[in-house]
Amino acid sequence: MARVLCVGMAVVDFVFQLDPLPSAAGKLRAEDARIVGGGCAATAAVAVARLGGEAMLAARLGDDEIGAMILAELEAEGVDCRYVHRAPGGRSSFSSICVDAAGERQIVNYRGEGLAEGAGWIAEAPDPDTVLVDTRWPDGAVAALNRARALGVPGVLDAEAPIGPELLAAASHVAFSTQGLASLDDTMPPEATLARVAKRLPAWSCVTDGARGVFLADGGRVPAFTVQVADTLGAGDVWHGAFALRLAEGADEGEAIRFANAAAALKCTRFGGRAGTPRRAETEAFLKEMSPCN
Ligand SMILES: Nc1ncnc2c1ncn2[C@@H]1O[C@H](COP(=O)(O)OP(=O)(O)O)[C@@H](O)[C@H]1O
Ligand SMILES: [Mg+2]
């Protein structure tokens, strides 16, 4: 089984379905609501596990109730959480998220406090086939990307703003979000920015752009699958988990992107953040079904 080490954020999201999204003070009633785990790295780890990989997560939590809730859900999903550090007296991160009828979302995140310094314990995790990091815990990300480099396995950066330059230097694969890329240069459309930014990067790179799919540094594009969208929350994180898993299984980048587009599109058809992450068999079946027209 291909093993992916995911490093970064683990939170819990309180998700409300609300149309239109709140724009002023007042009292609003949600159509639906869920409490679901989130955070880029943690959601990617859930995607790896559901899609048939061995998912290890390294992250930082507090020893509070929120931390216990986050951990319990990840363990129930089959994520190996032995490298999740819980700081005594620390406060775990959580978010309030509103999703409108078109599936767009508004996120308020509390980052937590008093979490562990350093990242030494990541070295205790067994050797991964691929490393995937987000930008929210730079010490952990650099340690894991350097480990990937030393092992000669892919080190993937989910490049959302703010992006530390040391992360761009350490990754073998950088998959930007449009917001992450715009934080480097917001004067051009993402595909043009990527072409410019990629010239200065040592890594392979691409940018995910929602329903427009994925643009490659060489000017290519892998279109997204057309689906009935219910909720895009977590789509990018599922995409990164699926992409990292296929690289860990030995697929090339093109094949990994197509698989990731399929997994993320299926997630978008379901309300409830990462609770809608698909499993391997349905993702393969979807790819087969869509192949004549996409
Ligand atoms: N509306 C959508 N329809 C189909 N696929 C989507 C849609 N939104 C996102 N995706 C898929 O998920 C990937 C990641 O979404 P994106 O919105 O770019 O991530 P992020 O939320 O991290 O910015 C896209 O490249 C695409 O494959
Ligand atoms: Mg993202």
Side-chain angles (χ1 to χ4, degrees), residues 10-285:
V11 306
V12 65
D13 294 331
F14 297 84
V15 187
F16 302 93
Q17 193 163 47
L18 198 62
D19 197 76
L21 295 175
S23 58
K27 194 168 178 181
L28 303 157
R29 186 178 298 224
E31 310 270 332
D32 196 355
R34 303 276 166 88
I35 300 174
V36 60
C40 303
T43 298
V46 168
V48 168
R50 288 206 190 179
L51 292 167
E54 183 184 335
M56 299 190 295
L57 177 66
R60 298 174 305 161
L61 296 175
D63 66 350
D64 53 355
E65 276 179 39
I66 291 279
M69 198 168 155
I70 292 169
L71 211 52
E73 195 218 341
L74 289 168
E75 280 171 349
E77 288 283 357
V79 173
D80 178 353
C81 293
R82 282 175 294 168
Y83 312 102
V84 175
H85 184 282
R86 296 191 70 189
R91 294 181 63 196
S92 305
S93 174
F94 58 99
S95 300
S96 167
I97 301 184
C98 294
V99 181
D100 71 12
E104 286 307 319
R105 76 265 193 195
Q106 189 181 74
I107 306 181
V108 182
N109 172 243
Y110 167 66
R111 290 202 170 189
E113 273 174 76
L115 304 179
E117 305 275 344
W121 70 92
I122 293 184
E124 291 162 22
D127 288 345
D129 299 306
T130 287
V131 161
L132 170 65
V133 306
D134 68 35
T135 53
R136 299 299 176 80
W137 177 29
D139 288 349
V142 168
L145 291 173
N146 286 341
R147 176 135 179 233
R149 174 163 298 180
L151 289 168
V153 302
V156 181
L157 171 64
D158 178 350
E160 291 206 345
I163 309 171
E166 72 279 19
L167 303 187
L168 290 174
S172 69
H173 292 71
V174 179
F176 290 97
S177 67
T178 51
Q179 157 262 22
L181 200 54
S183 74
L184 303 181
D185 180 349
D186 66 354
T187 60
M188 295 176 290
E191 51 272 44
T193 311
L194 180 68
R196 180 179 286 184
V197 167
K199 290 197 187 106
R200 304 193 303 258
L201 277 184
W204 177 96
S205 61
C206 71
V207 56
T208 68
D209 189 8
R212 296 175 78 212
V214 178
F215 293 96
L216 307 175
D218 66 5
R221 179 172 83 103
V222 185
F225 293 100
T226 304
V227 288
Q228 185 81 39
V229 174
D231 175 11
T232 61
L233 176 66
D237 307 331
V238 168
W239 189 95
H240 285 85
F243 178 73
L245 174 62
R246 289 298 288 133
L247 292 186
E249 290 173 347
D252 65 25
E253 288 86 359
E255 208 182 320
I257 291 173
R258 217 175 115 69
F259 180 80
N261 282 358
L266 282 170
K267 193 258 89 69
C268 288
T269 62
R270 299 161 194 165
F271 175 70
R274 78 172 177 216
T277 304
R279 297 197 179 268
R280 184 64 170 252
E282 54 186 321
T283 307
E284 301 279 6

